[in-house]
DNA sequence: GGGCAAATGTATACAGTGTCAACTTTGCTA
DNA sequence: TAGCAAAGTTGACACTGTATACATTTGCCC
């Protein structure tokens, strides 16, 4: 836990991180629509123009937050991959749960990552890379499942995209209010189990 | 095609629709982040406060646009349902294509509909209803497929949510730049075919 | 038709925003 | 220790959403 406000001194000490932490608080409270750089600066105990010493503009600060989000997702996949090496279904399920948990606990961060706001004009390289790494780490899980003879022989990339689309879709529907948000970890688990079962089995009769 | 600017008279004639049309143009050009009510008013040839006679605030105008979007999706489902009454897979595919086409052709409208910006604080009833109707019309397709003995015996709602999640997920990934946008109708069709095949078959080996 | 209220559009004002340029303070290094 | 780059401040600008008071037009009732 960083001390956001570190006054008494002219120089803050670690303003970039303090700004990110303050931004996270404000995003959670107000949502992205009312997010203002000036208020971030105020919360960090610093003048309204100080952030420009560390971030090119408002979007650059938001981008830094999104990148952290992608790194988190990548880590989630890797951890579940290593934890259940002989159970691809479990790997997939846990990765999906991590995904959904992020969206439910930090909806504004998820919104930032996935809405396209940040990629509208130009896609920054670091952001792109962070995203790709997260997707790749999901690909490993699918590939592993194929090698263990559990998953279909279709191309890995094809399976990955579909699986990702599925969990991403649910996540976005939660975010957009198209699906009622689970009120407990248990409810979330039930929802995730339903989705993953249908995803594994397919819509067609077997 | 409505005549957006209808000057020469003090009263505009059909300002609400003119504002919506102007808003669509500006959204397409600038994206939602730089969307300003004042510019909408200017494009409609009207003073910057005039929109407040017809919309409670900026969000209400955006909401009207989102509602139109949901109605469009509902229509897409219904049309494809009626066009291929004996081919649920085709119904599903065409509905999905319509969905993806909307997202690709009017990304900002899709963003408005699905980002959660509009539902963040309070969900307006008309918006909620428009969304529900669209989802229900997809449910009919699945239900029809079950009755024809093609789709799995799992609960309709469960299948619907998963199918919707899948196409919605792809749509949002396109929107967010996580998947490269198809450059032609043909490429889009190929992508959609891949997804739907995997979705129908499931990840598991058969 | 004349008059009047409601609907619609305008003008003005205010607080808050992102961003820039010119300034000041600080800490490091030659 | 002198001086210079980094980090923070102040003030300004154009622009935003929105509220209020005012003006014009329209439709309706007598």
């Amino acid at each position: 836990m960083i001390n956001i406000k570190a006054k008494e001194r002219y120089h803050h000490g670690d303003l970039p991180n303090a700004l990110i932490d303050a931004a996270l608080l404000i995003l959670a409270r107000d949502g992205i629509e009312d997010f203002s750089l000036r208020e971030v600066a105020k919360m960090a105990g610093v003048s309204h123009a100080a952030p420009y010493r560390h971030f090119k503009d408002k979007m650059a600060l938001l981008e830094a937050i999104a990148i952290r989000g992608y790194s988190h997702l990548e880590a989630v996949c890797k951890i579940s991959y290593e934890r259940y090496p002989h159970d691809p279904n479990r790997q997939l399920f846990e990765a999906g749960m991590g995904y959904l948990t992020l969206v439910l606990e930090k909806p504004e961060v998820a919104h930032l990552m996935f809405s396209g706001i940040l990629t509208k004009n130009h896609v920054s390289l670091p952001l792109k890379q962070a995203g790709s790494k997260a997707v790749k780490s999901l690909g490993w899980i699918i590939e592993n499942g194929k090698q263990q003879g559990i998953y279909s022989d279709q191309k890995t990339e094809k399976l990955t995209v579909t699986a990702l689309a599925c969990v991403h879709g649910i996540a976005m529907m939660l975010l957009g209010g198209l699906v009622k948000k689970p009120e407990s970890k248990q409810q979330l688990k039930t929802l995730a189990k339903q989705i993953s079962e249908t995803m594994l089995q397919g819509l067609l009769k077997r």
Side-chain angles (χ1 to χ4, degrees), chain A:
Chain A
M1 186 61 178
I2 293 177
N3 203 354
I4 294 178
K5 190 179 288 197
K7 254 295 183 183
E8 328 308 336
R9 288 188 304 286
Y10 188 92
H11 283 90
H12 182 286
D14 187 8
L15 189 51
N17 278 307
L19 289 173
I20 289 182
D21 288 342
L24 282 171
L25 287 178
I26 292 179
L27 272 179
R29 176 159 53 80
D30 302 340
I32 196 172
E33 210 63 6
D34 303 326
F35 176 84
S36 111
L37 205 47
R38 286 172 108 106
E39 200 175 349
V40 172
K42 189 188 291 179
M43 183 177 285
V46 108
S47 86
H48 67 265
Y52 287 86
R53 296 288 158 199
H54 304 278
F55 297 96
K56 184 181 142 288
D57 53 18
K58 185 183 172 185
M59 282 304 170
L61 172 55
L62 294 176
E63 191 177 295
I65 291 176
I67 288 177
R68 285 191 176 192
Y70 282 117
S71 302
H72 174 74
L73 284 191
E74 186 191 355
V76 160
C77 283
K78 280 190 173 164
I79 288 172
S80 100
Y81 182 82
E82 286 162 10
R83 181 122 77 189
Y84 310 101
H86 305 302
D87 189 350
N89 285 350
R90 185 71 190 266
Q91 288 173 340
L92 216 49
F93 180 80
E94 295 295 335
M97 279 291 289
Y99 204 109
L100 294 180
T101 303
L102 168 71
V103 170
L104 287 173
E105 288 180 355
K106 298 205 161 70
E108 327 72 25
V109 174
H111 182 224
L112 228 44
M113 297 165 65
F114 303 129
S115 69
I117 290 180
L118 298 174
T119 55
K120 174 89 192 178
N121 296 325
H122 92 294
V123 196
S124 97
L125 189 59
L127 185 66
K128 199 173 180 176
Q129 287 174 334
S132 302
K133 282 172 74 177
V135 173
K136 264 180 201 152
S137 62
L138 175 64
W140 292 340
I141 293 181
I142 304 276
E143 179 62 30
N144 181 248
K146 279 176 63 177
Q147 285 180 4
Q148 296 195 20
I150 296 177
Y151 292 157
S152 156
D153 291 327
Q154 302 173 68
K155 270 182 70 179
T156 302
E157 202 197 331
K158 189 175 155 185
L159 295 179
T160 305
V161 168
T162 308
L164 180 53
C166 204
V167 59
H168 186 66
I170 284 290
M172 291 304 97
M173 284 160 68
L174 287 172
L175 205 58
L178 275 76
V179 163
K180 198 177 58 189
K181 292 198 181 188
E183 286 157 11
S184 67
K185 201 87 187 175
Q186 191 52 49
Q187 277 187 28
L188 172 60
K189 231 171 177 170
T190 305
L191 176 64
K193 281 222 171 91
Q194 283 190 7
I195 308 289
S196 75
E197 190 185 336
T198 306
M199 185 69 235
L200 291 173
Q201 300 283 335
L203 291 182
L204 295 179
K205 249 188 179 141
R206 290 201 168 241

